[in-house]
Amino acid sequence: MQKKPKKIWLFAIPLILILGYFIYDAYSQPSIEELPGDFKEVAFVRNENNKGGIIRIYAVTVGNQLNAQYDQCADMFPVNDYGSITKIYFFDKNKPFPTSLQIDEPQYDTSKYEAINILSRRGFKK
């Protein structure tokens, strides 16, 4: 009877370790705050229609424009296939920036706010 508990532990310990690794990996993904440039997401809007491509619009502030990695930051935002669009507007952290966006053009009040960079990512049909 003593061999049965040992067999259970031989399977349980590796299973617990693997599950622990998956949980750690899920919660330790990098974020835009960790990139050079002092990025911070300040606004987001997404279309409600799921019958076409998903449209996501983000406003992100930049604290250090000289060292900012705009492309790496844009690559961290989600993009789906089948014609989806993710558009990221970057604003100077020390100037006024929008805290709300809209799906329709223009996505923010262009008379009040000035984007320093705009990047888009598109999904492709597989």
Side-chain angles (χ1 to χ4, degrees), residues 7-35:
K7 285 183 182 179
I8 291 172
W9 284 111
L10 287 175
F11 290 109
I13 290 175
L15 183 62
I16 291 169
L17 291 174
I18 290 171
L19 287 174
Y21 172 75
F22 286 146
I23 292 169
Y24 167 77
D25 189 50
Y27 286 101
S28 65
Q29 296 296 315
S31 67
I32 62 170
E33 286 87 10
E34 297 171 17
L35 291 174

Short mmCIF file of all heavy atoms in Angstrom, two decimals, residues 7-35:
data_model
loop_
_atom_site.label_atom_id
_atom_site.label_comp_id
_atom_site.label_asym_id
_atom_site.label_seq_id
_atom_site.Cartn_x
_atom_site.Cartn_y
_atom_site.Cartn_z
N LYS A 7 3.22 6.93 -6.07
CA LYS A 7 2.85 7.11 -7.48
C LYS A 7 2.03 8.37 -7.68
O LYS A 7 2.19 9.09 -8.66
CB LYS A 7 2.09 5.89 -7.99
CG LYS A 7 2.95 4.69 -8.23
CD LYS A 7 2.12 3.55 -8.80
CE LYS A 7 2.98 2.32 -9.00
NZ LYS A 7 2.18 1.19 -9.54
N ILE A 8 1.14 8.65 -6.74
CA ILE A 8 0.32 9.86 -6.84
C ILE A 8 1.20 11.10 -6.79
O ILE A 8 1.03 12.03 -7.57
CB ILE A 8 -0.75 9.88 -5.72
CG1 ILE A 8 -1.78 8.78 -5.98
CG2 ILE A 8 -1.42 11.24 -5.63
CD1 ILE A 8 -2.77 8.59 -4.86
N TRP A 9 2.17 11.13 -5.88
CA TRP A 9 3.06 12.28 -5.76
C TRP A 9 3.98 12.42 -6.98
O TRP A 9 4.35 13.53 -7.34
CB TRP A 9 3.89 12.20 -4.48
CG TRP A 9 3.06 12.57 -3.29
CD1 TRP A 9 2.65 11.75 -2.29
CD2 TRP A 9 2.53 13.86 -2.99
NE1 TRP A 9 1.88 12.44 -1.38
CE2 TRP A 9 1.80 13.75 -1.80
CE3 TRP A 9 2.59 15.10 -3.61
CZ2 TRP A 9 1.14 14.83 -1.22
CZ3 TRP A 9 1.93 16.18 -3.03
CH2 TRP A 9 1.22 16.03 -1.86
N LEU A 10 4.34 11.30 -7.60
CA LEU A 10 5.17 11.38 -8.80
C LEU A 10 4.45 12.09 -9.95
O LEU A 10 5.08 12.71 -10.81
CB LEU A 10 5.61 9.98 -9.24
CG LEU A 10 6.67 9.31 -8.38
CD1 LEU A 10 6.91 7.88 -8.85
CD2 LEU A 10 7.96 10.10 -8.41
N PHE A 11 3.14 12.01 -9.96
CA PHE A 11 2.35 12.71 -10.97
C PHE A 11 1.91 14.09 -10.49
O PHE A 11 1.83 15.03 -11.27
CB PHE A 11 1.11 11.89 -11.36
CG PHE A 11 1.46 10.66 -12.15
CD1 PHE A 11 1.34 9.40 -11.57
CD2 PHE A 11 1.91 10.76 -13.45
CE1 PHE A 11 1.66 8.27 -12.29
CE2 PHE A 11 2.23 9.62 -14.18
CZ PHE A 11 2.11 8.37 -13.60
N ALA A 12 1.60 14.22 -9.22
CA ALA A 12 1.06 15.47 -8.68
C ALA A 12 2.10 16.59 -8.65
O ALA A 12 1.80 17.73 -9.00
CB ALA A 12 0.49 15.24 -7.28
N ILE A 13 3.32 16.29 -8.24
CA ILE A 13 4.35 17.33 -8.12
C ILE A 13 4.67 17.95 -9.48
O ILE A 13 4.65 19.18 -9.60
CB ILE A 13 5.60 16.79 -7.40
CG1 ILE A 13 5.26 16.56 -5.92
CG2 ILE A 13 6.77 17.76 -7.54
CD1 ILE A 13 6.36 15.92 -5.12
N PRO A 14 4.94 17.18 -10.52
CA PRO A 14 5.18 17.82 -11.83
C PRO A 14 3.96 18.60 -12.34
O PRO A 14 4.10 19.67 -12.93
CB PRO A 14 5.50 16.65 -12.77
CG PRO A 14 5.97 15.57 -11.88
CD PRO A 14 5.23 15.75 -10.60
N LEU A 15 2.77 18.07 -12.10
CA LEU A 15 1.56 18.77 -12.53
C LEU A 15 1.42 20.11 -11.82
O LEU A 15 1.10 21.13 -12.44
CB LEU A 15 0.33 17.89 -12.26
CG LEU A 15 -1.01 18.46 -12.73
CD1 LEU A 15 -1.01 18.65 -14.24
CD2 LEU A 15 -2.14 17.56 -12.31
N ILE A 16 1.68 20.15 -10.52
CA ILE A 16 1.61 21.39 -9.75
C ILE A 16 2.67 22.38 -10.26
O ILE A 16 2.39 23.57 -10.40
CB ILE A 16 1.78 21.11 -8.24
CG1 ILE A 16 0.55 20.38 -7.72
CG2 ILE A 16 2.01 22.39 -7.46
CD1 ILE A 16 0.70 19.82 -6.32
N LEU A 17 3.87 21.89 -10.54
CA LEU A 17 4.92 22.77 -11.06
C LEU A 17 4.56 23.35 -12.42
O LEU A 17 4.78 24.55 -12.67
CB LEU A 17 6.25 22.02 -11.13
CG LEU A 17 6.89 21.66 -9.79
CD1 LEU A 17 8.12 20.78 -10.00
CD2 LEU A 17 7.24 22.91 -9.02
N ILE A 18 4.00 22.54 -13.29
CA ILE A 18 3.61 23.03 -14.62
C ILE A 18 2.49 24.06 -14.51
O ILE A 18 2.54 25.11 -15.16
CB ILE A 18 3.20 21.84 -15.52
CG1 ILE A 18 4.43 21.02 -15.88
CG2 ILE A 18 2.51 22.33 -16.79
CD1 ILE A 18 4.13 19.71 -16.57
N LEU A 19 1.49 23.79 -13.70
CA LEU A 19 0.40 24.75 -13.50
C LEU A 19 0.93 26.05 -12.88
O LEU A 19 0.51 27.14 -13.27
CB LEU A 19 -0.69 24.15 -12.62
CG LEU A 19 -1.56 23.08 -13.28
CD1 LEU A 19 -2.50 22.46 -12.26
CD2 LEU A 19 -2.33 23.65 -14.45
N GLY A 20 1.84 25.95 -11.95
CA GLY A 20 2.45 27.14 -11.35
C GLY A 20 3.19 27.97 -12.38
O GLY A 20 3.09 29.21 -12.37
N TYR A 21 3.90 27.31 -13.28
CA TYR A 21 4.61 28.04 -14.34
C TYR A 21 3.63 28.75 -15.26
O TYR A 21 3.84 29.90 -15.63
CB TYR A 21 5.51 27.10 -15.15
CG TYR A 21 6.09 27.77 -16.35
CD1 TYR A 21 7.14 28.68 -16.23
CD2 TYR A 21 5.57 27.54 -17.62
CE1 TYR A 21 7.66 29.32 -17.32
CE2 TYR A 21 6.08 28.19 -18.72
CZ TYR A 21 7.14 29.08 -18.58
OH TYR A 21 7.63 29.73 -19.67
N PHE A 22 2.54 28.07 -15.64
CA PHE A 22 1.55 28.70 -16.52
C PHE A 22 0.93 29.93 -15.87
O PHE A 22 0.71 30.95 -16.52
CB PHE A 22 0.47 27.71 -16.92
CG PHE A 22 0.92 26.69 -17.93
CD1 PHE A 22 0.42 25.40 -17.89
CD2 PHE A 22 1.83 27.01 -18.93
CE1 PHE A 22 0.83 24.46 -18.82
CE2 PHE A 22 2.23 26.08 -19.86
CZ PHE A 22 1.74 24.80 -19.81
N ILE A 23 0.63 29.84 -14.60
CA ILE A 23 0.05 30.98 -13.88
C ILE A 23 1.05 32.12 -13.80
O ILE A 23 0.71 33.29 -14.05
CB ILE A 23 -0.44 30.55 -12.49
CG1 ILE A 23 -1.64 29.60 -12.63
CG2 ILE A 23 -0.79 31.76 -11.62
CD1 ILE A 23 -2.05 28.92 -11.35
N TYR A 24 2.29 31.82 -13.48
CA TYR A 24 3.34 32.84 -13.42
C TYR A 24 3.50 33.51 -14.78
O TYR A 24 3.56 34.73 -14.89
CB TYR A 24 4.66 32.23 -12.98
CG TYR A 24 5.84 33.15 -13.19
CD1 TYR A 24 6.07 34.21 -12.32
CD2 TYR A 24 6.70 32.98 -14.27
CE1 TYR A 24 7.13 35.06 -12.52
CE2 TYR A 24 7.75 33.84 -14.48
CZ TYR A 24 7.97 34.88 -13.61
OH TYR A 24 9.02 35.74 -13.81
N ASP A 25 3.56 32.73 -15.85
CA ASP A 25 3.76 33.26 -17.19
C ASP A 25 2.58 34.15 -17.61
O ASP A 25 2.78 35.19 -18.25
CB ASP A 25 3.94 32.12 -18.18
CG ASP A 25 4.36 32.60 -19.55
OD1 ASP A 25 5.32 33.40 -19.63
OD2 ASP A 25 3.73 32.19 -20.55
N ALA A 26 1.37 33.78 -17.25
CA ALA A 26 0.19 34.56 -17.61
C ALA A 26 0.18 35.93 -16.94
O ALA A 26 -0.26 36.91 -17.53
CB ALA A 26 -1.07 33.79 -17.26
N TYR A 27 0.67 36.02 -15.72
CA TYR A 27 0.64 37.28 -14.99
C TYR A 27 1.93 38.08 -15.09
O TYR A 27 2.02 39.17 -14.52
CB TYR A 27 0.30 37.02 -13.51
CG TYR A 27 -1.15 36.68 -13.32
CD1 TYR A 27 -1.55 35.37 -13.14
CD2 TYR A 27 -2.12 37.67 -13.35
CE1 TYR A 27 -2.89 35.04 -12.98
CE2 TYR A 27 -3.46 37.36 -13.20
CZ TYR A 27 -3.84 36.05 -13.01
OH TYR A 27 -5.16 35.74 -12.85
N SER A 28 2.93 37.61 -15.79
CA SER A 28 4.19 38.33 -15.88
C SER A 28 4.48 38.81 -17.30
O SER A 28 5.63 38.99 -17.66
CB SER A 28 5.34 37.44 -15.38
OG SER A 28 5.50 36.32 -16.23
N GLN A 29 3.45 39.01 -18.12
CA GLN A 29 3.64 39.50 -19.48
C GLN A 29 4.08 40.96 -19.43
O GLN A 29 3.65 41.73 -18.57
CB GLN A 29 2.34 39.37 -20.28
CG GLN A 29 1.90 37.93 -20.47
CD GLN A 29 2.90 37.13 -21.29
OE1 GLN A 29 3.39 37.60 -22.30
NE2 GLN A 29 3.22 35.95 -20.83
N PRO A 30 4.93 41.37 -20.36
CA PRO A 30 5.38 42.77 -20.37
C PRO A 30 4.24 43.72 -20.72
O PRO A 30 3.28 43.33 -21.39
CB PRO A 30 6.47 42.78 -21.45
CG PRO A 30 6.18 41.61 -22.31
CD PRO A 30 5.52 40.59 -21.43
N SER A 31 4.36 44.95 -20.28
CA SER A 31 3.35 45.96 -20.58
C SER A 31 4.02 47.17 -21.20
O SER A 31 5.25 47.30 -21.18
CB SER A 31 2.60 46.36 -19.30
OG SER A 31 3.47 47.03 -18.43
N ILE A 32 3.22 48.10 -21.71
CA ILE A 32 3.80 49.27 -22.36
C ILE A 32 4.52 50.17 -21.36
O ILE A 32 5.43 50.91 -21.74
CB ILE A 32 2.74 50.07 -23.15
CG1 ILE A 32 1.65 50.62 -22.24
CG2 ILE A 32 2.16 49.24 -24.27
CD1 ILE A 32 0.71 51.59 -22.91
N GLU A 33 4.16 50.10 -20.10
CA GLU A 33 4.82 50.92 -19.08
C GLU A 33 6.29 50.53 -18.89
O GLU A 33 7.08 51.32 -18.41
CB GLU A 33 4.09 50.82 -17.74
CG GLU A 33 2.78 51.58 -17.69
CD GLU A 33 1.59 50.78 -18.19
OE1 GLU A 33 1.75 49.55 -18.41
OE2 GLU A 33 0.53 51.37 -18.40
N GLU A 34 6.65 49.31 -19.28
CA GLU A 34 8.02 48.84 -19.11
C GLU A 34 8.94 49.23 -20.26
O GLU A 34 10.15 49.10 -20.16
CB GLU A 34 8.02 47.32 -18.94
CG GLU A 34 7.28 46.87 -17.71
CD GLU A 34 7.09 45.37 -17.67
OE1 GLU A 34 7.78 44.64 -18.39
OE2 GLU A 34 6.23 44.91 -16.89
N LEU A 35 8.38 49.73 -21.36
CA LEU A 35 9.19 50.12 -22.52
C LEU A 35 9.83 51.48 -22.30
O LEU A 35 9.29 52.32 -21.58
CB LEU A 35 8.31 50.19 -23.77
CG LEU A 35 7.77 48.88 -24.31
CD1 LEU A 35 6.79 49.16 -25.45
CD2 LEU A 35 8.90 48.00 -24.80
#
